[in-house]
Amino acid sequence: MSLFKELQSINPHTGKPLSEEDIKNIYIKAIGLKGYQMNLIDIQTKEVWFEAKEGFKTSTYKMFTQLLHYVQQALNTGSHIPPFLCVIDARKAAIMRTKDALPLLEKKTGNKKIKWGKRASDVTQEALDVVSAYIGTFIVSFNLEHHENEFLETIKKAIEEGDIIRTQI
């Protein structure tokens, strides 16, 4: 079964749409992730951090804003940050190089830093606006219904080769 079709299925145990946990597990299997953790950051490997959502109604920009909240925390504490960030849901996926977001996280907007909110799930509208305006040219987005193979190839190559190789769509 294709990634997209599997993401559109119903949970056989509950008879309801797939949960965020179901979505994460489907992607882990499709990408073939090894050595991952699932905790505050939905899926975390040394190469890539994923923000996952059930359904498809959360914007790519909001998911990246939530993920960048964690990157900001890691920068503040000197913790490891991966070279790639990826957002996923039942219909779309997007990837970007972490280094492309670092100038935003390190600079001050006006005379103040970005006001993130207390938790990644509570990012402020200000943070969403600032991040959205900044990252638009850096993200590579995929509509999985039409480009799941390109997404899978791109994410696997990014993990293996350390760069995003844009596949012609």
Side-chain angles (χ1 to χ4, degrees):
M1 182 182 302
S2 77
L3 170 62
F4 180 75
K5 284 185 181 176
E6 194 168 351
L7 290 168
Q8 303 314 302
S9 63
I10 300 296
N11 183 314
H13 303 292
T14 65
K16 296 181 180 179
L18 299 177
S19 69
E20 185 176 305
E21 294 303 311
D22 295 327
I23 300 281
K24 289 188 254 186
N25 289 325
I26 290 168
Y27 274 97
I28 288 167
K29 179 181 162 194
I31 297 168
L33 291 177
K34 306 280 187 244
Y36 61 88
Q37 297 177 352
M38 294 194 298
N39 41 43
L40 281 178
I41 298 165
D42 288 334
I43 305 169
Q44 186 176 6
T45 72
K46 66 180 183 176
E47 299 89 8
V48 61
W49 287 355
F50 294 83
E51 177 68 25
K53 296 292 181 202
E54 66 182 41
F56 55 89
K57 296 191 182 210
T58 304
S59 76
T60 297
Y61 291 104
K62 185 169 185 177
M63 289 189 282
F64 270 120
T65 302
Q66 291 175 337
L67 200 49
L68 287 171
H69 180 272
Y70 294 120
V71 173
Q72 183 71 70
Q73 289 178 329
L75 285 171
N76 293 348
T77 61
S79 299
H80 168 77
I81 54 171
F84 302 102
L85 303 172
C86 188
V87 298
I88 53 177
D89 70 16
R91 293 195 182 166
K92 63 188 175 295
I95 186 172
M96 71 179 290
R97 287 184 292 262
T98 306
K99 72 179 183 180
D100 292 333
L102 293 180
L104 172 68
L105 302 177
E106 293 168 348
K107 84 173 198 180
K108 295 187 187 267
T109 53
N111 289 329
K112 57 189 175 186
K113 291 190 174 201
I114 298 170
K115 291 182 182 172
W116 291 103
K118 291 185 181 199
R119 300 175 305 168
S121 58
D122 297 329
V123 293
T124 64
Q125 186 62 47
E126 174 191 321
L128 178 58
D129 292 345
V130 170
V131 169
S132 297
Y134 185 86
I135 68 168
T137 60
F138 298 114
I139 60 176
V140 181
S141 297
F142 300 88
N143 174 327
L144 295 175
E145 183 174 12
H146 303 290
H147 303 292
E148 78 173 55
N149 290 334
E150 292 85 352
F151 165 71
L152 291 171
E153 183 178 329
T154 299
I155 189 75
K156 288 176 183 179
K157 281 187 177 180
I159 291 168
E160 291 170 14
E161 299 178 19
D163 201 5
I164 297 173
I165 310 299
R166 294 180 187 246
T167 304
Q168 284 293 81
I169 295 179

